[in-house]
Amino acid sequence: MKTSSAVKKTRSTSSSRSGKQRSGAHWIKLDAQGVYYKDLNRQIRSLALQGDRRFEIHNVFGQRYLGTNLWGIEGRDRIVIRVYGTPGSDMGAFMDGPRIEVFGNAQDATGNTMNCGQIAIHGSAGDVLGYGMRGGEIYVRDNVGYRVGIHMKEYRDKIPTVVIGGTMQDFFGEYMAGGRIIVLNKFFADNPPVRRSYFIGTGMHGGNIYVRGDVDLHQIGAEVGIASPTDAEWKIIEKYVHNFCKVFGLEENKAKLLKRHKFTRLYAKSSRPYGRLYAY
Amino acid sequence: MLTSLLPEFTVDRSEDRCIQCRVCERQCSFDVFGYDGENNVMVHREENCVACQRCSVLCPTNALVIRENQYTYRPNANWTREYIQDLKKQAETGGVLLTGMGCDKPHKIYWDHILINASQVTNPSIDPLREPMELRTHLGRKPDQLEMVDGKLVLPDYPNVEISTPIMFGAMSYGAISYNSFRCLARAAFEYGTMFNTGEGGWPMELRKYGKSTIVQCASGRFGLDLEYFNDAAVVEIKIGQGAKPGIGGHLPGEKVSEHISQTRMIPEGSDAISPAPHHDIYSIEDLHMLIHAIKEAVDYQKPVSVKISAVHNAPAIASGMVRAGADIIVLDGLRGGTGAAPKILRDNVGIPIELALAAVDTRLRNEGIRNWASLVVSGGIRNSADIFKAIALGADAVYIGTPALMALGCTVCQKCYTGKCAWGITTQDPYLTKRVNPEIGTQNLKNLLRAWSLEIKELLGCGGINSIESLRGNRLQLRGIGLESWELEALGIRGAGQ
Ligand code: SF4
Ligand code: SF4
């Protein structure tokens, strides 16, 4: 692995702010071409520590762990990172507050064990998105890979939410303990296709999955129940569909997406799936 | 239908001594005792007794003796009482048998087949009372070579942690053990200058002040885990496996998820806390590399990252991969490692003894020239200071102790931790029982144990003419095997006694 020299940096405004705490209102432009992820992330952290809040990173090409090291920074929930290119795996892993917007596709393990903040991907994401996610929001405009949303959890009002505009693959929402995932199943289609993904929600013991379109019994794990969204849940779905359209500028799709009867709710039949497994 | 489950133990009460004070009834959490007011006698339900000895210790007149039940099925070397009873329980319930603590089967204990050397005449032994003796240990990656620039030593910036003795408390989560027990481990480690491990049940805020003595775990359930949790600790450990139940996950039953535990783990009260068998973001060494570095990013490369696996057949190859994936500390947990709850069939049959795994891993890493890239910590079956001494001579940097630490808090290894009824107040969340661990005395007992074993290790070092634990590490010439076959000597990398 190569370690490159310092990251090239330009400021969109050039007024001098040295010495005093920066307001963070302007965009910091960074060029990630050939920069090792460790150096890139360190530079973002050190700028954030000096008060910068808005970053535009160009030529991103596989750099991992964007947003992971931004902990313990006052006002980190105002940090925005715009990524142009293809970020590497574990983007936003453990992330606690910032917002990352990707103009391109993301790789695997996006939002791994994420705690707080927002990720928006104007494209598709790979496998294991949102593993063990504990809070915050992830929006993916297009499709996601396998093993997405495994073991998401929630605690009181901290409820992680994933919204996927396209389709999902197998092992979706396994061991889910909390949180919600909304799958719009090709947001642009009037009639969502039945997506042939399997082993959905195996071991699920909390949380909810809402799929636009039908899900057949043979696609889901034994611990999963099929129902329609309740009134309260429909409000939530409406809110997140609205957010989804807003984040990606897809407002014209809202009307066709918000057809309640088309949504299938997948839920955990029990919060104690292993209760009857043992002899004492 | 009638099945014949014989009580495993009998309760002998001396009616002459018994004063019907009913202490036994209050102390026994397994519901063995009752009081018959009409006749003013205590009655027993012996089939519930687990021989934890809480009642006999607390009985003010020593009226109680708990002994193994002499009644038996027809003796049979093949169908022992244990196998007959296990089978009957399963025929009744259709369930997986659970158990607690480490494997209790008589698999060969290699520690007992290894003897330690002493100096005579040619290399004088050392008296630890009169000469300084160094037990301090540093865990983390070490440089490949020393570098001098302008006559000054340049130290690479690999994060290391220092412990004052090569003994740490292994992972036991708050949830598996009571708050008081957890707190005792944290405080004792802090005050003695060593480490304790939170397990994967989160880490209560008020105990963060012991951060410099805390190893936090990132296991497949990812409970109570955030950036603060990593950064408040001294070491972050990725738990892949555990010696008592290699290859399977964990499961804290909903009954144990009380309000405080739910807050610490950040999951709803009363819901099962399930740790899936694998980390679903780790299906390969490359994936492990990814998670190790995600954590390194999260702690800005300031803390060592440890990876723990259970000792399995191909541990050496896996360990090599772990080290190459960036682990600064690798932990091997052997066949006899303890647990709060595990399927009995796994606990007793899966994995290999830590002695063999340790020797094989240390040899492999040395042969590959990467032994210094990571520290090696072993656990699972350490019973005394000689076991620790032997482990270090076989190549370990330090050990984790779990069961011995709980024994210092009162545990009598009754193996019933999974019931949540521990009469000694350790592996339970019942407030009536957890009071039985006194935080002050518990902390002191743990510190005493660390001190006693450290003193003994110094004695053992001194008798071999060694004055620093560093000089013992991997010094297998200090060991000789007895009663071992040649393949075993070879696996351990030691010679036989007399050779
Ligand atoms: S379970 Fe423990 S306290 Fe109860 S009778 Fe047996 S030894 Fe005594
Ligand atoms: S911790 Fe308690 S239940 Fe577990 S073995 Fe020890 S005394 Fe028994």
Side-chain angles (χ1 to χ4, degrees):
Chain A
M1 270 173 273
K2 73 177 182 187
T3 317
S4 91
S5 51
V7 189
K8 268 183 261 144
K9 175 183 75 176
T10 47
R11 258 177 227 287
S12 53
T13 55
S14 57
S15 61
S16 142
R17 278 163 307 272
S18 54
K20 55 180 150 73
Q21 186 75 6
R22 298 168 190 158
S23 72
H26 51 275
W27 288 90
I28 303 288
K29 284 199 179 127
L30 301 174
D31 182 358
Q33 179 84 51
V35 180
Y36 190 46
Y37 70 80
K38 191 170 166 182
D39 302 320
L40 177 63
N41 292 332
R42 276 218 166 139
Q43 169 141 24
I44 298 171
R45 178 172 174 82
S46 81
L47 290 168
L49 279 169
Q50 291 164 44
D52 288 322
R53 289 290 171 268
R54 296 178 176 195
F55 303 90
E56 236 182 69
I57 316 175
H58 292 269
N59 299 316
V60 175
F61 190 57
Q63 283 89 349
R64 292 177 171 176
Y65 317 120
L66 281 166
T68 295
N69 68 351
L70 298 175
W71 53 272
I73 298 170
E74 192 94 20
R76 60 188 173 276
D77 49 346
R78 287 196 294 115
I79 295 177
V80 179
I81 304 174
R82 285 192 183 153
V83 177
Y84 296 87
T86 308
S89 293
D90 265 326
M91 181 180 72
F94 309 115
M95 191 168 78
D96 190 24
R99 172 167 201 273
I100 301 182
E101 193 163 9
V102 180
F103 298 92
N105 299 319
Q107 293 190 11
D108 295 341
T110 297
N112 189 349
T113 324
M114 175 173 157
N115 198 40
C116 175
Q118 197 195 73
I119 295 176
I121 298 162
H122 295 251
S124 290
D127 299 340
V128 220
L129 177 132
Y131 179 61
M133 192 177 164
R134 305 147 38 84
E137 296 170 357
I138 301 181
Y139 296 91
V140 183
R141 193 191 64 200
D142 301 333
N143 306 324
V144 294
Y146 293 80
R147 291 184 267 148
V148 164
I150 294 184
H151 214 312
M152 282 168 64
K153 48 182 76 67
E154 67 185 55
Y155 180 65
R156 299 202 174 144
D157 55 356
K158 215 167 148 138
I159 305 176
T161 305
V162 175
V163 187
I164 297 157
T167 58
M168 77 287 211
Q169 301 285 1
D170 300 353
F171 316 111
F172 191 74
E174 282 189 330
Y175 297 102
M176 206 168 154
R180 27 179 125 88
I181 316 180
I182 299 170
V183 186
L184 298 177
N185 217 344
K186 305 204 173 168
F187 64 86
F188 45 83
D190 283 325
N191 286 308
V194 175
R195 173 70 206 160
R196 290 291 158 214
S197 51
Y198 299 95
F199 311 107
I200 299 172
T202 309
M204 190 169 174
H205 53 292
N208 286 288
I209 299 172
Y210 308 102
V211 181
R212 191 170 76 104
D214 293 326
V215 180
D216 287 342
L217 261 183
H218 68 276
Q219 293 179 271
I220 60 174
E223 297 78 10
V224 185
I226 298 188
S228 298
T230 62
D231 291 349
E233 289 176 322
W234 182 246
K235 289 227 166 64
I236 293 166
I237 296 172
E238 276 183 324
K239 174 180 152 197
Y240 282 100
V241 167
H242 176 84
N243 288 359
F244 174 86
C245 292
K246 195 166 151 212
V247 164
F248 297 119
L250 297 168
E251 253 89 2
E252 72 277 11
N253 293 279
K254 214 181 325 180
K256 72 169 161 251
L257 290 173
L258 285 177
K259 296 205 171 115
R260 184 168 170 180
H261 64 278
K262 292 206 170 156
F263 277 83
T264 307
R265 170 192 174 212
L266 304 177
Y267 64 97
K269 287 197 239 167
S270 156
S271 64
R272 310 280 324 272
Y274 293 157
R276 276 180 29 81
L277 207 55
Y278 301 111
Y280 286 86
Chain B
M1 202 180 80
L2 270 186
T3 52
S4 56
L5 282 182
L6 297 178
E8 282 183 78
F9 305 98
T10 52
V11 179
D12 287 352
R13 173 189 306 274
S14 153
E15 293 301 342
D16 294 347
R17 292 186 181 182
C18 180
I19 51 171
Q20 290 82 39
C21 67
R22 301 174 70 177
V23 160
C24 51
E25 191 187 353
R26 288 190 294 275
Q27 290 297 325
C28 179
S29 48
F30 293 91
D31 204 22
V32 171
F33 299 106
Y35 175 63
D36 171 358
E38 236 169 80
N39 300 308
N40 189 30
V41 287
M42 303 300 299
V43 291
H44 306 160
R45 284 172 290 268
E46 290 183 323
E47 63 278 15
N48 290 347
C49 177
V50 303
C52 72
Q53 301 293 352
R54 179 79 191 176
C55 58
S56 60
V57 169
L58 275 270
C59 175
T61 60
N62 281 333
L64 291 170
V65 178
I66 308 295
R67 48 176 127 242
E68 236 181 305
N69 188 358
Q70 295 305 309
Y71 299 108
T72 180
Y73 303 103
R74 185 183 176 89
N76 185 325
N78 192 32
W79 285 105
T80 58
R81 180 155 92 188
E82 181 185 354
Y83 291 134
I84 294 175
Q85 309 235 113
D86 282 356
L87 185 149
K88 285 176 182 294
K89 271 185 223 161
Q90 294 192 285
E92 278 176 17
T93 60
V96 172
L97 291 167
L98 275 185
T99 188
M101 285 291 150
C103 171
D104 63 358
K105 294 287 163 287
H107 301 301
K108 197 169 204 169
I109 296 172
Y110 285 90
W111 304 132
D112 295 337
H113 292 269
I114 298 175
L115 298 169
I116 297 168
N117 193 33
S119 303
Q120 299 293 294
V121 185
T122 54
N123 175 19
S125 48
I126 302 171
D127 180 356
L129 292 181
R130 125 173 211 275
E131 286 176 55
M133 197 56 92
E134 191 59 88
L135 292 191
R136 252 182 308 175
T137 298
H138 294 88
L139 301 177
R141 182 175 178 160
K142 307 293 184 297
D144 291 336
Q145 61 198 41
L146 290 181
E147 223 183 300
M148 300 284 277
V149 173
D150 299 333
K152 277 207 188 99
L153 193 62
V154 190
L155 291 171
D157 56 355
Y158 303 130
N160 268 245
V161 289
E162 182 181 305
I163 46 179
S164 64
T165 185
I167 313 169
M168 303 184 287
F169 300 132
M172 289 174 278
S173 69
Y174 169 42
I177 61 173
S178 67
Y179 184 67
N180 273 358
S181 314
F182 192 82
R183 186 153 69 137
C184 288
L185 292 167
R187 212 178 113 193
F190 182 81
E191 288 174 10
Y192 201 85
T194 182
M195 298 273 167
F196 93 108
N197 188 314
T198 61
E200 85 149 335
W203 183 19
M205 279 299 170
E206 64 280 10
L207 300 180
R208 304 269 166 125
K209 57 179 187 260
Y210 304 128
K212 79 172 181 50
S213 293
T214 305
I215 299 175
V216 292
Q217 247 185 9
C218 169
S220 65
R222 308 280 160 91
F223 293 114
L225 178 160
D226 55 29
L227 290 170
E228 229 179 298
Y229 169 85
F230 289 158
N231 282 289
D232 286 348
V235 178
V236 180
E237 182 168 289
I238 299 172
K239 179 205 170 183
I240 304 289
Q242 181 180 345
K245 42 181 173 180
I248 68 165
H251 161 215
L252 186 72
E255 302 92 41
K256 282 197 178 179
V257 182
S258 65
E259 197 202 330
H260 195 222
I261 288 184
S262 95
Q263 196 184 335
T264 312
R265 295 200 177 207
M266 304 276 286
I267 52 167
E269 236 172 284
S271 116
D272 279 1
I274 294 167
S275 305
H279 292 245
H280 284 283
D281 54 351
I282 307 179
Y283 284 6
S284 65
I285 290 289
E286 290 74 18
D287 288 350
L288 176 66
H289 177 281
M290 206 162 97
L291 185 64
I292 290 174
H293 287 82
I295 293 173
K296 289 191 174 185
E297 278 283 319
V299 299
D300 201 20
Y301 302 86
Q302 302 300 309
K303 297 166 200 285
V305 174
S306 162
V307 180
K308 174 181 175 182
I309 59 164
S310 35
V312 290
H313 304 180
N314 50 352
I318 300 165
S320 166
M322 284 154 61
V323 173
R324 291 172 194 280
D328 303 300
I329 300 170
I330 59 177
V331 183
L332 303 172
D333 193 19
L335 173 66
R336 294 187 299 274
T339 176
K344 189 163 182 256
I345 207 78
L346 264 101
R347 185 197 72 170
D348 293 348
N349 294 287
V350 183
I352 60 171
I354 191 60
E355 301 91 318
L356 298 174
L358 157 61
V361 166
D362 179 70
T363 302
R364 171 79 175 240
L365 298 182
R366 278 176 200 279
N367 290 347
E368 293 187 359
I370 55 172
R371 178 61 185 85
N372 60 301
W373 289 12
S375 293
L376 181 50
V377 175
V378 298
S379 60
I382 301 286
R383 301 157 304 167
N384 57 38
S385 59
D387 292 352
I388 299 172
F389 187 94
K390 291 167 189 174
I392 292 172
L394 283 177
D397 287 276
V399 303
Y400 271 138
I401 55 169
T403 308
L406 298 192
M407 286 165 79
L409 296 175
C411 164
T412 52
V413 203
C414 74
Q415 308 188 16
K416 291 290 164 184
C417 326
Y418 66 95
T419 62
K421 293 188 200 163
C422 176
W424 293 90
I426 301 166
T427 51
T428 175
Q429 303 304 327
D430 177 345
Y432 180 69
L433 300 173
T434 55
K435 284 202 295 260
R436 296 178 182 185
V437 174
N438 176 311
E440 297 299 321
I441 301 173
T443 304
Q444 191 54 49
N445 284 5
L446 287 165
K447 279 163 50 187
N448 288 347
L449 181 70
L450 291 171
R451 174 172 187 269
W453 284 7
S454 302
L455 288 173
E456 286 181 346
I457 292 172
K458 288 184 180 179
E459 293 284 356
L460 288 166
L461 284 170
C463 84
I466 299 172
N467 64 3
S468 158
I469 198 86
E470 286 293 336
S471 317
L472 178 70
R473 196 149 289 133
N475 188 346
R476 298 193 194 174
L477 285 171
Q478 292 296 317
L479 307 176
R480 289 290 187 276
I482 188 158
L484 295 176
E485 311 234 359
S486 55
W487 73 265
E488 292 168 309
L489 291 170
E490 202 182 311
L492 289 166
I494 60 174
R495 285 195 248 166
Q499 284 187 314

